[in-house]
Amino acid sequence: MNDSADIRFLLTLRESGSLVAAARKLGLSPSAVTQRLQQLEKKLSAQLVNRTARRLQFTEEGTLLCERGADLVQQFDTLFEDLQMRRGGLVGTLKINAPLGFGRRHLAPVIADFQQRNPDIDVALTLSDKPLTETMDRFDIVVHIGELPVSNLIGYTIAPNSRFVCAAPALIRRIGTPDSPEELSKLPCIVLRENNEDVSLWQFSKGRTRRSVRVSAHLSCNDGDVIRQWACEGRGVILRSEWDVAEDIAKGKLVRLLPGWKAPDADVMALTHQRAGLPARTRHFMQYLQSRFRPQPPWRR
């Protein structure tokens, strides 16, 4: 294994999950991918992958090579990108994963502007309703909203973001205005399914007082735009991020409920694998992303 090409090939196999998918990504035939894998195993005198019809299962040796090799490839790319930077340009591919709604409304325009400013960088944006459950190795940056679960990822704050309980004026006229979080359990509510969280358990605080309320949700969806639209139509009460409902509140389509009670904040974070040794394109994008949401994010302007 004289250069990084073999490691990159093996990493592509792991990312793809099957020989057919890897062949499609590499622009080769499945037989050519199989032949290259066999040549690599022969060169190393070790079996790296157990092949089946449906999936690839990496051996202990193959897993070790991928884990350590990924760090070596990262260092290799960072070195040459830093050299390229000395010549005045950013290069390479930046792979980003982000939540559906936030990605569409707030992140996509930022990415397009960044790429236009840096034409030698290719940016691949993937939108998902479960960004943290995706294979993190596939992405340079994962944008996450809310509390960060325990992990080895490094988080960078992009923008502050509160969460509000909201309902349409028509619904409030029909059911009345709740005076306490406990009253929400008796009202029609709508929940957003995301990140495998317990989404029907709503938590609030007022000073040192804490309240947890189990709401009854006859409507739920994994798309925030859908539940916001349902709320605007008067179909139920929602607990939603400030970035998503601030404009509807300003226009009077939604009314904030229980303003004296605070739901847990859900700040916008950018997650990376490591703090040191990030490629130049990743560092510059992080700086550009933070600058676009300062001094105030769009939903607070």
Side-chain angles (χ1 to χ4, degrees), residues 193-262:
R193 303 190 308 271
E194 59 180 354
N195 291 328
N196 296 323
E197 297 174 357
D198 188 354
V199 294
S200 64
L201 185 64
W202 293 1
Q203 301 182 24
F204 302 91
S205 63
K206 180 190 286 188
R208 296 184 179 180
T209 304
R210 302 288 187 271
R211 293 286 187 273
S212 295
V213 180
R214 178 71 65 182
V215 299
S216 176
H218 298 294
L219 284 174
S220 68
C221 184
N222 67 331
D223 190 324
D225 284 346
V226 171
I227 74 161
R228 180 175 53 82
Q229 182 60 38
W230 281 341
C232 290
E233 294 170 357
R235 301 181 187 276
V237 179
I238 60 172
L239 174 61
R240 194 69 186 111
S241 280
E242 178 185 5
W243 70 259
D244 191 29
V245 297
E247 183 176 351
D248 288 322
I249 292 175
K251 292 180 178 180
K253 294 181 179 180
L254 293 173
V255 176
R256 185 180 175 186
L257 304 176
L258 301 172
W261 289 88
K262 180 177 176 61

Side-chain angles (χ1 to χ4, degrees), residues 22-297:
R24 191 180 305 116
K25 185 171 294 186
L26 293 168
L28 301 173
S29 66
S31 60
V33 172
T34 300
Q35 184 178 11
R36 182 172 178 183
L37 177 58
Q38 291 172 342
Q39 291 173 347
L40 178 57
E41 291 177 327
K42 183 178 180 180
K43 181 163 55 175
L44 296 175
S45 299
Q47 185 172 358
L48 304 176
V49 181
N50 293 319
R51 277 85 87 186
T52 66
R54 291 176 175 247
R55 59 190 295 271
L56 300 177
Q57 183 176 7
F58 279 72
T59 64
E60 185 175 341
E61 291 78 10
T63 299
L64 178 64
L65 188 57
C66 283
E67 290 177 351
R68 295 191 181 180
D71 292 336
L72 293 174
V73 168
Q74 176 90 42
Q75 294 174 22
F76 186 85
D77 290 344
T78 299
L79 171 61
F80 279 87
E81 285 168 11
D82 286 344
L83 290 175
Q84 183 71 23
M85 277 290 294
R86 291 175 179 268
R87 298 172 57 190
L90 291 172
V91 298
T93 299
L94 184 62
K95 294 176 287 185
I96 303 171
N97 195 351
L100 287 167
F102 185 84
R104 278 194 299 259
R105 194 182 310 179
H106 292 293
L107 192 59
V110 174
I111 288 175
D113 290 345
F114 176 79
Q115 197 284 322
Q116 189 172 34
R117 289 168 177 250
N118 302 277
D120 291 329
I121 293 182
D122 298 329
V123 184
L125 172 63
T126 299
L127 300 182
S128 169
D129 61 334
K130 297 178 181 178
L132 287 184
T133 64
E134 300 279 356
T135 303
M136 184 64 193
D137 292 344
R138 293 173 51 198
F139 303 100
D140 302 299
I141 295 174
V142 171
V143 176
H144 174 68
I145 299 176
E147 184 178 356
L148 179 62
V150 177
S151 73
N152 59 353
L153 300 177
I154 306 299
Y156 301 83
T157 300
I158 301 301
N161 174 56
S162 299
R163 295 198 295 169
F164 300 151
V165 178
C166 306
L171 180 64
I172 295 173
R173 288 193 294 268
R174 190 167 75 248
I175 65 175
T177 301
D179 296 319
S180 68
E182 289 79 3
E183 294 182 36
L184 294 173
S185 63
K186 304 175 184 177
L187 302 180
C189 295
I190 307 171
V191 299
L192 174 67
R193 303 190 308 271
E194 59 180 354
N195 291 328
N196 296 323
E197 297 174 357
D198 188 354
V199 294
S200 64
L201 185 64
W202 293 1
Q203 301 182 24
F204 302 91
S205 63
K206 180 190 286 188
R208 296 184 179 180
T209 304
R210 302 288 187 271
R211 293 286 187 273
S212 295
V213 180
R214 178 71 65 182
V215 299
S216 176
H218 298 294
L219 284 174
S220 68
C221 184
N222 67 331
D223 190 324
D225 284 346
V226 171
I227 74 161
R228 180 175 53 82
Q229 182 60 38
W230 281 341
C232 290
E233 294 170 357
R235 301 181 187 276
V237 179
I238 60 172
L239 174 61
R240 194 69 186 111
S241 280
E242 178 185 5
W243 70 259
D244 191 29
V245 297
E247 183 176 351
D248 288 322
I249 292 175
K251 292 180 178 180
K253 294 181 179 180
L254 293 173
V255 176
R256 185 180 175 186
L257 304 176
L258 301 172
W261 289 88
K262 180 177 176 61
D265 288 335
D267 292 342
V268 181
M269 307 285 293
L271 311 178
T272 64
H273 296 280
Q274 57 197 45
R275 192 178 301 277
L278 290 175
R281 61 178 179 271
T282 304
R283 297 197 306 269
H284 279 255
F285 176 76
M286 294 282 284
Q287 294 168 1
Y288 182 74
L289 181 61
Q290 290 175 323
S291 71
R292 287 287 295 262
F293 289 89
R294 294 176 179 173
Q296 291 287 351

